[in-house]
Short mmCIF file of all heavy atoms in Angstrom, two decimals:
data_model
loop_
_atom_site.label_atom_id
_atom_site.label_comp_id
_atom_site.label_asym_id
_atom_site.label_seq_id
_atom_site.Cartn_x
_atom_site.Cartn_y
_atom_site.Cartn_z
N TYR A 1388 -79.37 163.69 -42.10
CA TYR A 1388 -78.74 162.83 -41.08
C TYR A 1388 -78.97 163.48 -39.73
O TYR A 1388 -78.71 164.67 -39.54
CB TYR A 1388 -77.25 162.66 -41.37
CG TYR A 1388 -77.02 161.92 -42.65
CD1 TYR A 1388 -76.93 162.60 -43.85
CD2 TYR A 1388 -76.94 160.53 -42.67
CE1 TYR A 1388 -76.75 161.92 -45.05
CE2 TYR A 1388 -76.76 159.84 -43.86
CZ TYR A 1388 -76.67 160.55 -45.05
OH TYR A 1388 -76.50 159.87 -46.22
N PHE A 1389 -79.44 162.68 -38.81
CA PHE A 1389 -79.95 163.14 -37.53
C PHE A 1389 -79.24 162.33 -36.45
O PHE A 1389 -79.26 161.11 -36.48
CB PHE A 1389 -81.45 162.88 -37.55
CG PHE A 1389 -82.25 163.26 -36.36
CD1 PHE A 1389 -82.04 164.43 -35.68
CD2 PHE A 1389 -83.30 162.44 -35.95
CE1 PHE A 1389 -82.83 164.79 -34.61
CE2 PHE A 1389 -84.10 162.77 -34.89
CZ PHE A 1389 -83.87 163.96 -34.21
N ALA A 1390 -78.60 163.01 -35.51
CA ALA A 1390 -77.84 162.33 -34.45
C ALA A 1390 -78.31 162.81 -33.09
O ALA A 1390 -78.80 163.93 -32.94
CB ALA A 1390 -76.36 162.60 -34.61
N GLY A 1391 -78.12 161.94 -32.09
CA GLY A 1391 -78.49 162.32 -30.75
C GLY A 1391 -78.13 161.26 -29.74
O GLY A 1391 -77.18 160.50 -29.93
N ARG A 1392 -78.92 161.22 -28.69
CA ARG A 1392 -78.69 160.26 -27.62
C ARG A 1392 -80.02 159.64 -27.22
O ARG A 1392 -81.07 160.25 -27.35
CB ARG A 1392 -78.03 160.91 -26.42
CG ARG A 1392 -78.88 161.93 -25.70
CD ARG A 1392 -78.22 162.32 -24.40
NE ARG A 1392 -79.04 162.78 -23.34
CZ ARG A 1392 -80.11 162.22 -22.80
NH1 ARG A 1392 -80.61 161.13 -23.28
NH2 ARG A 1392 -80.74 162.75 -21.79
N THR A 1393 -79.94 158.40 -26.73
CA THR A 1393 -81.16 157.68 -26.38
C THR A 1393 -80.94 156.75 -25.20
O THR A 1393 -79.85 156.19 -25.03
CB THR A 1393 -81.71 156.88 -27.57
OG1 THR A 1393 -82.93 156.25 -27.18
CG2 THR A 1393 -80.73 155.84 -28.07
N SER A 1394 -81.97 156.57 -24.40
CA SER A 1394 -82.04 155.54 -23.36
C SER A 1394 -83.05 154.47 -23.74
O SER A 1394 -83.28 153.54 -22.98
CB SER A 1394 -82.45 156.16 -22.02
OG SER A 1394 -81.53 157.14 -21.62
N SER A 1395 -83.69 154.62 -24.88
CA SER A 1395 -84.74 153.70 -25.31
C SER A 1395 -84.16 152.46 -25.98
O SER A 1395 -83.27 152.56 -26.82
CB SER A 1395 -85.68 154.39 -26.30
OG SER A 1395 -86.35 155.46 -25.67
N THR A 1396 -84.68 151.30 -25.62
CA THR A 1396 -84.19 150.05 -26.20
C THR A 1396 -84.98 149.62 -27.42
O THR A 1396 -84.68 148.60 -28.03
CB THR A 1396 -84.25 148.92 -25.15
OG1 THR A 1396 -85.59 148.79 -24.69
CG2 THR A 1396 -83.32 149.21 -23.98
N SER A 1397 -85.99 150.38 -27.80
CA SER A 1397 -86.76 150.10 -29.01
C SER A 1397 -87.14 151.41 -29.68
O SER A 1397 -87.04 152.48 -29.08
CB SER A 1397 -88.02 149.29 -28.66
OG SER A 1397 -88.87 150.06 -27.84
N GLY A 1398 -87.56 151.32 -30.94
CA GLY A 1398 -87.99 152.50 -31.66
C GLY A 1398 -86.87 153.35 -32.20
O GLY A 1398 -87.11 154.47 -32.67
N ILE A 1399 -85.64 152.86 -32.18
CA ILE A 1399 -84.49 153.66 -32.62
C ILE A 1399 -83.83 153.06 -33.85
O ILE A 1399 -83.81 153.68 -34.90
CB ILE A 1399 -83.44 153.79 -31.48
CG1 ILE A 1399 -84.06 154.47 -30.25
CG2 ILE A 1399 -82.21 154.54 -31.96
CD1 ILE A 1399 -84.50 155.91 -30.45
N ALA A 1400 -83.24 151.88 -33.76
CA ALA A 1400 -82.44 151.30 -34.84
C ALA A 1400 -83.29 150.56 -35.86
O ALA A 1400 -84.29 149.92 -35.51
CB ALA A 1400 -81.38 150.37 -34.27
N SER A 1401 -82.88 150.66 -37.12
CA SER A 1401 -83.58 149.98 -38.20
C SER A 1401 -82.61 149.79 -39.36
O SER A 1401 -82.33 150.72 -40.11
CB SER A 1401 -84.78 150.81 -38.64
OG SER A 1401 -85.40 150.23 -39.76
N GLY A 1402 -82.05 148.59 -39.48
CA GLY A 1402 -81.18 148.28 -40.60
C GLY A 1402 -79.83 148.95 -40.60
O GLY A 1402 -79.19 149.06 -41.64
N GLY A 1403 -79.37 149.40 -39.45
CA GLY A 1403 -78.09 150.09 -39.38
C GLY A 1403 -76.97 149.20 -38.86
O GLY A 1403 -77.10 147.98 -38.75
N TYR A 1404 -75.88 149.81 -38.49
CA TYR A 1404 -74.68 149.14 -38.02
C TYR A 1404 -74.90 148.38 -36.72
O TYR A 1404 -74.48 147.25 -36.56
CB TYR A 1404 -73.57 150.19 -37.86
CG TYR A 1404 -72.38 149.74 -37.07
CD1 TYR A 1404 -71.45 148.89 -37.64
CD2 TYR A 1404 -72.19 150.16 -35.77
CE1 TYR A 1404 -70.34 148.45 -36.91
CE2 TYR A 1404 -71.09 149.74 -35.03
CZ TYR A 1404 -70.17 148.89 -35.61
OH TYR A 1404 -69.09 148.47 -34.90
N GLN A 1405 -75.54 149.03 -35.74
CA GLN A 1405 -75.74 148.45 -34.40
C GLN A 1405 -77.24 148.50 -34.11
O GLN A 1405 -77.77 149.56 -33.80
CB GLN A 1405 -74.94 149.25 -33.36
CG GLN A 1405 -75.04 148.74 -31.95
CD GLN A 1405 -74.24 149.60 -30.98
OE1 GLN A 1405 -73.27 150.26 -31.34
NE2 GLN A 1405 -74.65 149.59 -29.72
N ASN A 1406 -77.91 147.38 -34.18
CA ASN A 1406 -79.36 147.37 -34.08
C ASN A 1406 -79.91 147.14 -32.68
O ASN A 1406 -81.12 147.11 -32.50
CB ASN A 1406 -79.94 146.34 -35.06
CG ASN A 1406 -79.77 146.84 -36.48
OD1 ASN A 1406 -80.15 147.95 -36.80
ND2 ASN A 1406 -79.17 146.02 -37.33
N SER A 1407 -79.04 147.00 -31.66
CA SER A 1407 -79.51 146.95 -30.29
C SER A 1407 -78.64 147.83 -29.41
O SER A 1407 -77.47 148.04 -29.68
CB SER A 1407 -79.58 145.53 -29.74
OG SER A 1407 -78.62 144.70 -30.25
N MET A 1408 -79.27 148.34 -28.37
CA MET A 1408 -78.59 149.23 -27.45
C MET A 1408 -77.56 148.44 -26.64
O MET A 1408 -77.82 147.31 -26.23
CB MET A 1408 -79.62 149.87 -26.53
CG MET A 1408 -79.08 151.04 -25.78
SD MET A 1408 -80.48 152.00 -25.17
CE MET A 1408 -79.76 152.63 -23.71
N ALA A 1409 -76.40 149.07 -26.40
CA ALA A 1409 -75.32 148.37 -25.72
C ALA A 1409 -75.06 148.87 -24.30
O ALA A 1409 -74.40 148.19 -23.53
CB ALA A 1409 -74.03 148.49 -26.53
N GLY A 1410 -75.54 150.05 -23.95
CA GLY A 1410 -75.22 150.61 -22.64
C GLY A 1410 -76.39 151.29 -21.99
O GLY A 1410 -77.55 151.08 -22.37
N LEU A 1411 -76.08 152.14 -21.01
CA LEU A 1411 -77.12 152.90 -20.32
C LEU A 1411 -77.78 153.90 -21.27
O LEU A 1411 -78.99 154.08 -21.25
CB LEU A 1411 -76.52 153.64 -19.13
CG LEU A 1411 -75.87 152.76 -18.07
CD1 LEU A 1411 -75.14 153.63 -17.05
CD2 LEU A 1411 -76.92 151.90 -17.40
N GLU A 1412 -76.98 154.60 -22.03
CA GLU A 1412 -77.42 155.50 -23.08
C GLU A 1412 -76.50 155.30 -24.26
O GLU A 1412 -75.30 155.17 -24.10
CB GLU A 1412 -77.35 156.97 -22.64
CG GLU A 1412 -78.39 157.38 -21.63
CD GLU A 1412 -78.32 158.85 -21.36
OE1 GLU A 1412 -77.42 159.26 -20.60
OE2 GLU A 1412 -79.16 159.59 -21.88
N ASP A 1413 -77.04 155.29 -25.45
CA ASP A 1413 -76.24 155.17 -26.66
C ASP A 1413 -76.50 156.37 -27.55
O ASP A 1413 -77.56 157.00 -27.48
CB ASP A 1413 -76.60 153.91 -27.45
CG ASP A 1413 -75.91 152.66 -26.93
OD1 ASP A 1413 -75.08 152.76 -26.00
OD2 ASP A 1413 -76.20 151.58 -27.45
N ALA A 1414 -75.53 156.65 -28.41
CA ALA A 1414 -75.75 157.61 -29.48
C ALA A 1414 -76.68 156.95 -30.49
O ALA A 1414 -76.81 155.73 -30.54
CB ALA A 1414 -74.42 157.96 -30.14
N PHE A 1415 -77.35 157.78 -31.29
CA PHE A 1415 -78.05 157.24 -32.45
C PHE A 1415 -77.72 158.10 -33.66
O PHE A 1415 -77.35 159.26 -33.55
CB PHE A 1415 -79.57 157.15 -32.24
CG PHE A 1415 -80.31 158.47 -32.22
CD1 PHE A 1415 -80.63 159.15 -33.40
CD2 PHE A 1415 -80.72 159.03 -31.02
CE1 PHE A 1415 -81.32 160.35 -33.38
CE2 PHE A 1415 -81.41 160.23 -30.99
CZ PHE A 1415 -81.71 160.89 -32.17
N LEU A 1416 -77.82 157.48 -34.82
CA LEU A 1416 -77.65 158.15 -36.10
C LEU A 1416 -78.73 157.62 -37.02
O LEU A 1416 -78.87 156.40 -37.16
CB LEU A 1416 -76.26 157.87 -36.68
CG LEU A 1416 -75.98 158.43 -38.07
CD1 LEU A 1416 -76.06 159.95 -38.08
CD2 LEU A 1416 -74.61 157.96 -38.55
N ALA A 1417 -79.50 158.51 -37.61
CA ALA A 1417 -80.59 158.12 -38.50
C ALA A 1417 -80.49 158.91 -39.80
O ALA A 1417 -80.13 160.08 -39.80
CB ALA A 1417 -81.94 158.39 -37.84
N LYS A 1418 -80.82 158.24 -40.89
CA LYS A 1418 -80.85 158.88 -42.21
C LYS A 1418 -82.29 158.94 -42.70
O LYS A 1418 -83.00 157.92 -42.73
CB LYS A 1418 -80.02 158.08 -43.22
CG LYS A 1418 -80.05 158.66 -44.62
CD LYS A 1418 -79.28 157.79 -45.61
CE LYS A 1418 -79.33 158.37 -47.01
NZ LYS A 1418 -78.57 157.52 -47.97
N PHE A 1419 -82.74 160.14 -43.08
CA PHE A 1419 -84.05 160.37 -43.66
C PHE A 1419 -83.86 160.89 -45.07
O PHE A 1419 -82.89 161.60 -45.35
CB PHE A 1419 -84.82 161.42 -42.86
CG PHE A 1419 -85.21 161.00 -41.48
CD1 PHE A 1419 -84.35 161.14 -40.41
CD2 PHE A 1419 -86.47 160.45 -41.25
CE1 PHE A 1419 -84.72 160.75 -39.14
CE2 PHE A 1419 -86.84 160.06 -39.98
CZ PHE A 1419 -85.96 160.20 -38.92
N ASN A 1420 -84.81 160.61 -45.96
CA ASN A 1420 -84.76 161.28 -47.25
C ASN A 1420 -85.37 162.67 -47.09
O ASN A 1420 -85.83 163.05 -46.01
CB ASN A 1420 -85.43 160.44 -48.35
CG ASN A 1420 -86.93 160.31 -48.19
OD1 ASN A 1420 -87.58 161.04 -47.44
ND2 ASN A 1420 -87.50 159.35 -48.90
N SER A 1421 -85.39 163.45 -48.16
CA SER A 1421 -85.86 164.84 -48.07
C SER A 1421 -87.35 164.95 -47.76
O SER A 1421 -87.82 166.00 -47.35
CB SER A 1421 -85.53 165.59 -49.35
OG SER A 1421 -86.21 164.99 -50.45
N ALA A 1422 -88.11 163.86 -47.94
CA ALA A 1422 -89.55 163.85 -47.64
C ALA A 1422 -89.86 163.39 -46.22
O ALA A 1422 -91.01 163.28 -45.84
CB ALA A 1422 -90.28 162.98 -48.65
#
Side-chain angles (χ1 to χ4, degrees):
Y1388 295 89
F1389 180 41
R1392 67 170 206 52
T1393 182
S1394 300
S1395 296
T1396 58
S1397 64
I1399 300 296
S1401 175
Y1404 165 76
Q1405 181 181 334
N1406 289 308
S1407 32
M1408 194 162 149
L1411 300 172
E1412 288 185 282
D1413 278 356
F1415 71 79
L1416 176 62
K1418 178 183 180 180
F1419 293 86
N1420 68 16
S1421 62

